[in-house]
Amino acid sequence: MAGTAGTPGTPRVLRAMNDRAALDLLLEHGPLSRTRIGKLTGLSKPTASQLLARLEAAGLVRVTGTSEGRPGPNAQLYAVDPTAAYAAGLDVTPDRIRAAVADITGRTVGEHELPTPGRHPAQPVVQQVTDALDGAVKAAGLARSDVHRLVIGTPGAFDPNTGRLRYASHLPGWHSPTLLDELAAALPMPVEYENDVNLAAIAEQRLGAARGHADFVLLWNEEGLGAALVLGGRLHRGWTGGAGEVGFLPVPGTPLVRQVAKANSGGYQELAGSQAVPRLARELGVPDVPSGPHSEAAAALVARAADHASGPHRELLQTYATRLATGLASLVSVLDPELVVLSGSALTAGGEVLRALVQAELEELAAARPRLVVGDVREHPVLRGALESALAATRDEVFDTSR
Protein backbone atom coordinates (compact mmCIF):
# COMPACT_ATOMS: atom_id res chain seq x y z
CA MET A 1 0.00 0.00 0.00
CA ALA A 2 1.33 3.45 -0.89
CA GLY A 3 2.96 5.34 1.94
CA THR A 4 3.38 2.33 4.22
CA ALA A 5 6.79 1.00 3.16
CA GLY A 6 8.94 0.28 6.18
CA THR A 7 6.04 0.44 8.66
CA PRO A 8 4.26 -2.91 8.39
CA GLY A 9 1.92 -3.88 11.19
CA THR A 10 1.52 -0.42 12.73
CA PRO A 11 -1.99 0.53 13.87
CA ARG A 12 -2.24 3.17 11.13
CA VAL A 13 -1.31 0.65 8.44
CA LEU A 14 -3.74 -1.94 9.74
CA ARG A 15 -6.55 0.61 9.90
CA ALA A 16 -5.80 1.66 6.34
CA MET A 17 -5.87 -1.97 5.19
CA ASN A 18 -9.27 -2.47 6.86
CA ASP A 19 -10.54 0.79 5.37
CA ARG A 20 -9.56 -0.27 1.87
CA ALA A 21 -11.08 -3.73 2.32
CA ALA A 22 -14.38 -2.18 3.38
CA LEU A 23 -14.38 0.30 0.49
CA ASP A 24 -13.69 -2.48 -2.01
CA LEU A 25 -16.57 -4.50 -0.55
CA LEU A 26 -18.91 -1.53 -0.88
CA LEU A 27 -17.86 -1.09 -4.50
CA GLU A 28 -18.46 -4.78 -5.19
CA HIS A 29 -21.70 -5.32 -3.30
CA GLY A 30 -23.32 -1.90 -3.12
CA PRO A 31 -24.87 -0.54 0.09
CA LEU A 32 -24.12 -2.65 3.19
CA SER A 33 -25.00 -2.43 6.85
CA ARG A 34 -22.40 -2.13 9.59
CA THR A 35 -23.14 -5.71 10.64
CA ARG A 36 -22.68 -7.03 7.11
CA ILE A 37 -19.41 -5.14 6.66
CA GLY A 38 -18.20 -6.58 9.95
CA LYS A 39 -19.00 -10.12 8.86
CA LEU A 40 -17.37 -9.72 5.43
CA THR A 41 -14.20 -8.17 6.85
CA GLY A 42 -14.03 -10.20 10.07
CA LEU A 43 -14.09 -7.03 12.18
CA SER A 44 -15.98 -6.70 15.44
CA LYS A 45 -19.05 -4.45 15.58
CA PRO A 46 -17.25 -1.69 17.50
CA THR A 47 -14.30 -1.77 15.09
CA ALA A 48 -16.65 -1.75 12.09
CA SER A 49 -18.50 1.22 13.59
CA GLN A 50 -15.23 3.12 14.08
CA LEU A 51 -14.20 2.29 10.52
CA LEU A 52 -17.44 3.60 9.05
CA ALA A 53 -17.31 6.75 11.14
CA ARG A 54 -13.76 7.35 9.96
CA LEU A 55 -14.65 6.83 6.30
CA GLU A 56 -17.76 8.99 6.59
CA ALA A 57 -15.72 11.82 8.16
CA ALA A 58 -13.21 11.49 5.30
CA GLY A 59 -15.98 11.91 2.74
CA LEU A 60 -15.51 8.39 1.34
CA VAL A 61 -18.80 6.78 2.42
CA ARG A 62 -22.27 8.04 3.19
CA VAL A 63 -25.52 6.68 4.55
CA THR A 64 -27.88 5.83 1.71
CA GLY A 65 -30.91 4.48 3.59
CA THR A 66 -31.94 1.70 5.93
CA SER A 67 -32.50 -2.01 5.56
CA GLU A 68 -36.10 -3.24 5.55
CA GLY A 69 -37.98 -6.51 5.78
CA ARG A 70 -36.04 -7.98 8.72
CA PRO A 71 -36.99 -8.42 12.38
CA GLY A 72 -35.79 -5.71 14.74
CA PRO A 73 -34.87 -2.10 14.05
CA ASN A 74 -33.81 -1.14 10.56
CA ALA A 75 -30.05 -0.84 10.07
CA GLN A 76 -28.35 2.04 8.31
CA LEU A 77 -26.88 1.20 4.92
CA TYR A 78 -23.55 2.64 3.84
CA ALA A 79 -22.19 3.13 0.31
CA VAL A 80 -19.15 4.69 -1.28
CA ASP A 81 -19.79 8.40 -1.79
CA PRO A 82 -19.75 8.73 -5.60
CA THR A 83 -18.63 12.36 -5.36
CA ALA A 84 -15.40 11.45 -3.52
CA ALA A 85 -13.46 11.59 -6.78
CA TYR A 86 -13.81 11.54 -10.56
CA ALA A 87 -11.68 10.01 -13.32
CA ALA A 88 -11.76 10.46 -17.09
CA GLY A 89 -10.85 8.52 -20.20
CA LEU A 90 -10.31 9.40 -23.86
CA ASP A 91 -10.48 7.09 -26.86
CA VAL A 92 -8.61 8.65 -29.78
CA THR A 93 -8.93 7.65 -33.45
CA PRO A 94 -8.09 9.61 -36.62
CA ASP A 95 -11.75 10.58 -37.02
CA ARG A 96 -12.86 11.47 -33.50
CA ILE A 97 -12.06 11.67 -29.80
CA ARG A 98 -14.58 10.06 -27.49
CA ALA A 99 -14.40 11.23 -23.86
CA ALA A 100 -16.13 10.16 -20.65
CA VAL A 101 -16.03 10.98 -16.95
CA ALA A 102 -16.88 8.46 -14.24
CA ASP A 103 -17.41 8.92 -10.52
CA ILE A 104 -15.39 6.87 -8.04
CA THR A 105 -17.96 4.04 -8.13
CA GLY A 106 -17.40 3.59 -11.88
CA ARG A 107 -20.69 5.09 -13.04
CA THR A 108 -20.29 7.20 -16.18
CA VAL A 109 -21.62 10.69 -15.44
CA GLY A 110 -20.63 12.58 -18.59
CA GLU A 111 -19.75 11.79 -22.21
CA HIS A 112 -18.75 13.77 -25.27
CA GLU A 113 -17.58 13.02 -28.80
CA LEU A 114 -15.42 15.45 -30.77
CA PRO A 115 -15.12 14.86 -34.53
CA THR A 116 -11.53 15.22 -35.82
CA PRO A 117 -11.78 14.43 -39.55
CA GLY A 118 -9.10 15.02 -42.14
CA ARG A 119 -5.40 14.37 -42.51
CA HIS A 120 -4.59 17.94 -41.41
CA PRO A 121 -6.44 18.70 -38.14
CA ALA A 122 -8.11 22.09 -37.94
CA GLN A 123 -7.10 22.30 -34.26
CA PRO A 124 -3.85 21.39 -32.54
CA VAL A 125 -3.94 18.07 -30.69
CA VAL A 126 -3.75 19.79 -27.29
CA GLN A 127 -6.86 21.80 -28.15
CA GLN A 128 -8.65 18.68 -29.37
CA VAL A 129 -7.87 16.83 -26.14
CA THR A 130 -8.94 19.67 -23.86
CA ASP A 131 -12.11 20.31 -25.88
CA ALA A 132 -13.10 16.64 -25.76
CA LEU A 133 -12.40 16.41 -22.03
CA ASP A 134 -14.21 19.67 -21.29
CA GLY A 135 -17.24 18.43 -23.23
CA ALA A 136 -17.50 15.34 -21.02
CA VAL A 137 -16.80 17.36 -17.87
CA LYS A 138 -19.53 19.84 -18.77
CA ALA A 139 -21.98 17.01 -19.46
CA ALA A 140 -21.21 15.70 -15.96
CA GLY A 141 -21.86 19.11 -14.40
CA LEU A 142 -18.27 19.33 -13.18
CA ALA A 143 -15.17 21.45 -13.69
CA ARG A 144 -11.94 20.25 -15.28
CA SER A 145 -10.23 20.55 -11.89
CA ASP A 146 -12.65 17.98 -10.42
CA VAL A 147 -11.04 15.19 -12.47
CA HIS A 148 -8.34 13.38 -10.48
CA ARG A 149 -6.78 11.43 -13.34
CA LEU A 150 -7.04 11.04 -17.11
CA VAL A 151 -6.12 8.02 -19.24
CA ILE A 152 -5.80 8.56 -23.00
CA GLY A 153 -6.02 5.59 -25.35
CA THR A 154 -4.48 5.87 -28.82
CA PRO A 155 -3.48 3.52 -31.61
CA GLY A 156 0.18 2.57 -31.37
CA ALA A 157 2.13 3.45 -28.23
CA PHE A 158 4.24 6.25 -26.83
CA ASP A 159 7.80 4.98 -26.69
CA PRO A 160 8.85 5.17 -23.00
CA ASN A 161 12.43 5.88 -24.09
CA THR A 162 11.68 8.83 -26.40
CA GLY A 163 8.13 9.96 -25.58
CA ARG A 164 7.15 9.80 -29.26
CA LEU A 165 4.16 7.95 -30.66
CA ARG A 166 5.10 4.85 -32.64
CA TYR A 167 3.17 2.33 -34.76
CA ALA A 168 0.41 4.84 -35.60
CA SER A 169 1.47 6.98 -38.54
CA HIS A 170 -2.23 7.29 -39.49
CA LEU A 171 -2.98 9.45 -36.41
CA PRO A 172 -2.33 13.02 -37.59
CA GLY A 173 -0.84 15.59 -35.24
CA TRP A 174 0.19 13.16 -32.50
CA HIS A 175 3.86 12.70 -33.44
CA SER A 176 5.44 15.89 -32.10
CA PRO A 177 8.38 15.17 -29.74
CA THR A 178 7.02 17.84 -27.36
CA LEU A 179 3.38 16.70 -27.37
CA LEU A 180 3.39 14.97 -23.99
CA ASP A 181 4.99 18.02 -22.35
CA GLU A 182 2.40 20.28 -23.97
CA LEU A 183 -0.46 18.11 -22.74
CA ALA A 184 1.01 17.96 -19.24
CA ALA A 185 1.16 21.76 -19.18
CA ALA A 186 -2.43 22.13 -20.40
CA LEU A 187 -4.07 19.59 -18.07
CA PRO A 188 -4.31 19.98 -14.29
CA MET A 189 -4.46 16.27 -13.48
CA PRO A 190 -2.04 13.34 -13.90
CA VAL A 191 -2.30 11.92 -17.43
CA GLU A 192 -1.43 8.41 -18.55
CA TYR A 193 -1.26 7.09 -22.10
CA GLU A 194 -2.07 3.55 -23.18
CA ASN A 195 -2.49 1.61 -26.38
CA ASP A 196 -6.15 1.33 -27.38
CA VAL A 197 -6.15 -2.47 -27.69
CA ASN A 198 -4.50 -2.81 -24.29
CA LEU A 199 -7.35 -0.76 -22.84
CA ALA A 200 -9.91 -3.06 -24.46
CA ALA A 201 -8.11 -5.93 -22.73
CA ILE A 202 -8.29 -4.12 -19.38
CA ALA A 203 -12.04 -3.73 -19.88
CA GLU A 204 -12.44 -7.44 -20.62
CA GLN A 205 -10.19 -8.41 -17.71
CA ARG A 206 -12.14 -6.36 -15.17
CA LEU A 207 -15.66 -6.44 -16.56
CA GLY A 208 -15.93 -8.99 -19.33
CA ALA A 209 -14.92 -12.32 -20.79
CA ALA A 210 -11.40 -12.42 -19.31
CA ARG A 211 -12.37 -12.03 -15.66
CA GLY A 212 -10.46 -14.54 -13.56
CA HIS A 213 -7.87 -15.22 -16.28
CA ALA A 214 -4.22 -14.35 -15.70
CA ASP A 215 -2.94 -15.34 -19.17
CA PHE A 216 -4.88 -14.32 -22.24
CA VAL A 217 -4.60 -12.68 -25.63
CA LEU A 218 -7.14 -10.19 -26.91
CA LEU A 219 -7.31 -10.02 -30.70
CA TRP A 220 -8.79 -6.74 -31.92
CA ASN A 221 -10.05 -5.95 -35.41
CA GLU A 222 -11.65 -2.61 -36.11
CA GLU A 223 -9.83 0.32 -37.73
CA GLY A 224 -6.66 -1.74 -37.36
CA LEU A 225 -5.69 -5.29 -36.42
CA GLY A 226 -3.86 -5.65 -33.11
CA ALA A 227 -3.51 -7.71 -29.97
CA ALA A 228 -3.10 -7.23 -26.24
CA LEU A 229 -0.94 -9.69 -24.33
CA VAL A 230 -1.72 -10.33 -20.67
CA LEU A 231 0.82 -12.56 -18.94
CA GLY A 232 0.65 -13.41 -15.26
CA GLY A 233 -2.23 -10.96 -14.89
CA ARG A 234 -0.26 -8.01 -16.26
CA LEU A 235 -0.11 -6.35 -19.64
CA HIS A 236 3.06 -7.06 -21.59
CA ARG A 237 3.95 -3.88 -23.47
CA GLY A 238 7.45 -4.64 -24.72
CA TRP A 239 10.57 -2.44 -24.78
CA THR A 240 9.06 0.31 -26.97
CA GLY A 241 5.39 -0.29 -26.21
CA GLY A 242 4.96 -2.24 -29.44
CA ALA A 243 4.10 -5.67 -28.05
CA GLY A 244 0.88 -6.80 -29.68
CA GLU A 245 1.27 -4.84 -32.92
CA VAL A 246 0.40 -8.03 -34.79
CA GLY A 247 -0.90 -6.22 -37.86
CA PHE A 248 2.76 -6.00 -38.89
CA LEU A 249 3.23 -9.78 -38.53
CA PRO A 250 4.39 -11.52 -41.75
CA VAL A 251 2.02 -14.39 -42.48
CA PRO A 252 1.53 -16.90 -45.29
CA GLY A 253 -1.13 -16.01 -47.81
CA THR A 254 -0.01 -12.47 -48.54
CA PRO A 255 3.14 -10.96 -50.07
CA LEU A 256 5.80 -9.67 -47.70
CA VAL A 257 5.18 -6.04 -46.76
CA ARG A 258 8.45 -4.16 -46.45
CA GLN A 259 8.99 -0.82 -44.73
CA VAL A 260 5.99 -1.62 -42.57
CA ALA A 261 6.35 1.52 -40.44
CA LYS A 262 6.02 3.74 -43.51
CA ALA A 263 3.23 1.61 -44.95
CA ASN A 264 1.51 1.46 -41.54
CA SER A 265 0.52 -2.08 -42.47
CA GLY A 266 1.88 -5.60 -42.59
CA GLY A 267 1.07 -9.09 -43.73
CA TYR A 268 -1.56 -9.96 -41.10
CA GLN A 269 -3.28 -6.59 -41.55
CA GLU A 270 -3.39 -7.10 -45.32
CA LEU A 271 -4.66 -10.67 -44.92
CA ALA A 272 -7.31 -10.29 -42.21
CA GLY A 273 -7.70 -6.60 -41.35
CA SER A 274 -11.05 -4.91 -41.78
CA GLN A 275 -10.03 -3.46 -45.15
CA ALA A 276 -9.52 -6.99 -46.49
CA VAL A 277 -13.09 -8.12 -45.78
CA PRO A 278 -14.95 -6.00 -48.39
CA ARG A 279 -12.29 -6.84 -50.97
CA LEU A 280 -12.66 -10.55 -50.24
CA ALA A 281 -16.44 -10.27 -50.39
CA ARG A 282 -16.26 -8.82 -53.90
CA GLU A 283 -13.90 -11.56 -55.03
CA LEU A 284 -16.33 -14.20 -53.76
CA GLY A 285 -19.36 -12.62 -55.42
CA VAL A 286 -21.13 -11.47 -52.25
CA PRO A 287 -23.93 -9.12 -53.36
CA ASP A 288 -24.43 -5.58 -52.10
CA VAL A 289 -20.99 -5.05 -50.56
CA PRO A 290 -21.35 -1.85 -48.50
CA SER A 291 -19.12 1.16 -49.05
CA GLY A 292 -17.91 3.59 -46.43
CA PRO A 293 -15.31 3.14 -43.67
CA HIS A 294 -13.60 -0.26 -43.79
CA SER A 295 -14.45 -1.15 -40.19
CA GLU A 296 -18.15 -0.44 -40.64
CA ALA A 297 -18.31 -2.28 -43.96
CA ALA A 298 -16.44 -5.27 -42.53
CA ALA A 299 -18.69 -5.48 -39.48
CA ALA A 300 -21.82 -5.34 -41.63
CA LEU A 301 -20.52 -8.04 -43.98
CA VAL A 302 -19.42 -10.33 -41.14
CA ALA A 303 -22.76 -9.94 -39.34
CA ARG A 304 -24.66 -10.71 -42.53
CA ALA A 305 -22.45 -13.69 -43.33
CA ALA A 306 -22.98 -15.18 -39.86
CA ASP A 307 -26.69 -15.44 -40.66
CA HIS A 308 -26.13 -17.52 -43.82
CA ALA A 309 -25.61 -21.28 -43.78
CA SER A 310 -24.31 -21.53 -47.35
CA GLY A 311 -23.35 -19.64 -50.48
CA PRO A 312 -20.83 -16.82 -50.91
CA HIS A 313 -21.63 -15.34 -47.50
CA ARG A 314 -20.66 -18.58 -45.79
CA GLU A 315 -17.55 -18.86 -47.93
CA LEU A 316 -16.62 -15.33 -46.91
CA LEU A 317 -16.94 -16.18 -43.23
CA GLN A 318 -14.97 -19.41 -43.56
CA THR A 319 -12.15 -17.74 -45.49
CA TYR A 320 -12.06 -14.88 -43.01
CA ALA A 321 -11.87 -17.36 -40.13
CA THR A 322 -8.96 -19.16 -41.77
CA ARG A 323 -7.12 -15.88 -42.26
CA LEU A 324 -7.68 -14.87 -38.65
CA ALA A 325 -6.49 -18.26 -37.40
CA THR A 326 -3.35 -18.03 -39.57
CA GLY A 327 -2.02 -15.10 -37.59
CA LEU A 328 -3.37 -16.35 -34.28
CA ALA A 329 -1.46 -19.62 -34.74
CA SER A 330 1.85 -17.73 -34.49
CA LEU A 331 0.72 -15.89 -31.37
CA VAL A 332 -0.53 -18.90 -29.44
CA SER A 333 2.46 -21.03 -30.47
CA VAL A 334 4.77 -18.53 -28.74
CA LEU A 335 2.61 -17.41 -25.82
CA ASP A 336 0.48 -20.50 -25.08
CA PRO A 337 -2.33 -18.42 -23.52
CA GLU A 338 -5.21 -19.88 -21.56
CA LEU A 339 -7.75 -17.78 -23.43
CA VAL A 340 -8.14 -15.74 -26.62
CA VAL A 341 -10.75 -12.96 -26.56
CA LEU A 342 -12.10 -11.78 -29.93
CA SER A 343 -12.93 -8.07 -29.81
CA GLY A 344 -13.51 -5.12 -32.10
CA SER A 345 -16.50 -4.75 -34.39
CA ALA A 346 -15.05 -6.78 -37.30
CA LEU A 347 -14.82 -9.78 -34.95
CA THR A 348 -17.72 -9.41 -32.53
CA ALA A 349 -20.14 -8.94 -35.43
CA GLY A 350 -19.62 -12.62 -36.30
CA GLY A 351 -20.63 -13.76 -32.84
CA GLU A 352 -20.56 -17.43 -31.92
CA VAL A 353 -20.61 -18.56 -35.56
CA LEU A 354 -17.32 -16.85 -36.41
CA ARG A 355 -15.79 -17.81 -33.05
CA ALA A 356 -16.47 -21.50 -33.68
CA LEU A 357 -14.97 -21.34 -37.17
CA VAL A 358 -11.79 -19.62 -35.92
CA GLN A 359 -11.52 -22.10 -33.04
CA ALA A 360 -11.73 -25.06 -35.43
CA GLU A 361 -9.17 -23.56 -37.80
CA LEU A 362 -6.79 -22.67 -34.97
CA GLU A 363 -6.86 -26.24 -33.68
CA GLU A 364 -5.70 -27.35 -37.11
CA LEU A 365 -2.90 -24.78 -37.35
CA ALA A 366 -1.41 -24.61 -33.83
CA ALA A 367 -0.27 -27.19 -31.29
CA ALA A 368 -1.49 -25.01 -28.40
CA ARG A 369 -5.27 -24.98 -28.08
CA PRO A 370 -6.52 -22.01 -26.08
CA ARG A 371 -10.22 -21.45 -25.65
CA LEU A 372 -11.66 -18.69 -27.83
CA VAL A 373 -14.44 -16.43 -26.59
CA VAL A 374 -16.18 -13.36 -27.96
CA GLY A 375 -15.62 -10.23 -25.87
CA ASP A 376 -18.40 -9.17 -23.52
CA VAL A 377 -17.64 -5.44 -23.45
CA ARG A 378 -19.30 -4.31 -26.67
CA GLU A 379 -20.07 -0.65 -25.97
CA HIS A 380 -16.94 1.51 -26.37
CA PRO A 381 -14.48 -1.07 -24.96
CA VAL A 382 -11.43 1.18 -25.41
CA LEU A 383 -13.09 4.04 -23.54
CA ARG A 384 -14.34 1.68 -20.85
CA GLY A 385 -10.82 0.36 -20.40
CA ALA A 386 -9.46 3.89 -20.13
CA LEU A 387 -11.99 4.67 -17.40
CA GLU A 388 -11.20 1.43 -15.54
CA SER A 389 -7.49 2.19 -15.68
CA ALA A 390 -7.99 5.77 -14.47
CA LEU A 391 -10.37 4.63 -11.73
CA ALA A 392 -7.96 1.99 -10.42
CA ALA A 393 -5.19 4.56 -9.93
CA THR A 394 -7.63 7.14 -8.52
CA ARG A 395 -8.97 4.68 -5.96
CA ASP A 396 -5.46 3.72 -4.88
CA GLU A 397 -4.83 7.38 -4.15
CA VAL A 398 -8.17 8.49 -2.71
CA PHE A 399 -8.85 5.33 -0.68
CA ASP A 400 -5.42 5.40 1.00
CA THR A 401 -6.25 6.54 4.56
CA SER A 402 -2.78 5.82 5.93
CA ARG A 403 -1.46 9.28 5.10
Side-chain angles (χ1 to χ4, degrees):
M1 180 171 291
T4 63
T7 58
T10 65
R12 173 178 289 185
V13 172
L14 295 175
R15 282 197 301 269
M17 292 172 64
N18 289 334
D19 291 349
R20 181 59 192 263
L23 289 164
D24 287 342
L25 286 168
L26 290 171
L27 286 174
E28 180 181 358
H29 296 284
L32 296 172
S33 67
R34 178 198 64 181
T35 301
R36 183 62 177 155
I37 290 173
K39 288 181 178 179
L40 291 172
T41 58
L43 299 175
S44 66
K45 288 184 179 180
T47 302
S49 294
Q50 293 170 4
L51 178 151
L52 288 168
R54 188 164 60 246
L55 294 179
E56 192 172 9
L60 296 177
V61 303
R62 67 185 185 187
V63 176
T64 60
T66 57
S67 61
E68 298 180 357
R70 294 182 178 182
N74 294 338
Q76 286 186 321
L77 296 176
Y78 295 84
V80 172
D81 188 339
T83 67
Y86 298 91
L90 266 61
D91 171 18
V92 179
T93 72
D95 299 319
R96 52 102 185 115
I97 299 178
R98 183 176 289 133
V101 176
D103 65 35
I104 197 70
T105 69
R107 183 175 66 93
T108 299
V109 294
E111 296 179 89
H112 183 71
E113 185 168 313
L114 177 73
T116 57
R119 293 184 59 83
H120 303 287
Q123 295 177 315
V125 164
V126 173
Q127 186 68 48
Q128 292 178 6
V129 168
T130 54
D131 284 355
L133 176 62
D134 287 346
V137 166
K138 182 179 179 181
L142 301 170
R144 191 192 295 181
S145 59
D146 292 322
V147 177
H148 280 64
R149 185 172 296 267
L150 171 65
V151 171
I152 299 176
T154 68
F158 285 91
D159 189 324
N161 305 296
T162 66
R164 300 193 67 163
L165 185 66
R166 302 185 64 177
Y167 317 110
S169 60
H170 62 297
L171 193 62
W174 282 77
H175 298 85
S176 166
T178 62
L179 177 61
L180 298 190
D181 290 336
E182 293 171 14
L183 286 169
L187 297 167
M189 75 291 291
V191 184
E192 297 176 8
Y193 303 88
E194 184 60 87
N195 171 261
D196 53 359
V197 184
N198 284 348
L199 291 175
I202 288 173
E204 291 292 346
Q205 187 178 33
R206 297 185 180 170
L207 305 172
R211 279 177 294 184
H213 295 276
D215 292 273
F216 72 94
V217 168
L218 181 137
L219 183 68
W220 172 270
N221 200 6
E222 200 158 294
E223 287 88 0
L225 184 62
L229 317 177
V230 178
L231 308 173
R234 303 183 66 178
L235 279 166
H236 174 69
R237 296 178 175 86
W239 175 247
T240 64
E245 293 289 343
V246 295
F248 299 120
L249 188 71
V251 293
T254 188
L256 280 176
V257 178
R258 300 186 184 275
Q259 300 294 323
V260 294
K262 291 183 179 180
N264 198 44
S265 188
Y268 197 21
Q269 179 71 41
E270 294 297 316
L271 185 71
S274 61
Q275 84 276 18
V277 177
R279 183 169 62 242
L280 177 62
R282 295 186 187 96
E283 292 173 0
L284 295 173
V286 173
D288 302 323
V289 175
S291 57
H294 294 313
S295 58
E296 295 177 13
L301 284 164
V302 170
R304 192 194 312 167
D307 290 332
H308 287 71
S310 60
H313 287 97
R314 189 64 173 191
E315 189 176 357
L316 169 65
L317 203 65
Q318 180 63 66
T319 305
Y320 181 45
T322 301
R323 292 182 174 194
L324 290 167
T326 300
L328 267 178
S330 296
L331 276 179
V332 304
S333 296
V334 173
L335 298 173
D336 189 22
E338 177 186 5
L339 188 75
V340 173
V341 180
L342 304 179
S343 186
S345 60
L347 290 173
T348 58
E352 175 59 23
V353 178
L354 178 61
R355 184 214 64 81
L357 290 173
V358 177
Q359 179 86 65
E361 287 293 281
L362 186 60
E363 291 177 0
E364 294 285 336
L365 297 175
R369 295 188 174 185
R371 183 166 63 92
L372 269 64
V373 296
V374 179
D376 287 337
V377 183
R378 304 291 182 89
E379 186 175 358
H380 311 324
V382 174
L383 183 60
R384 189 67 245 177
L387 287 173
E388 288 298 313
S389 181
L391 283 166
T394 299
R395 289 167 182 162
D396 284 344
E397 177 187 347
V398 175
F399 288 174
D400 183 2
T401 60
S402 67
R403 293 171 293 180

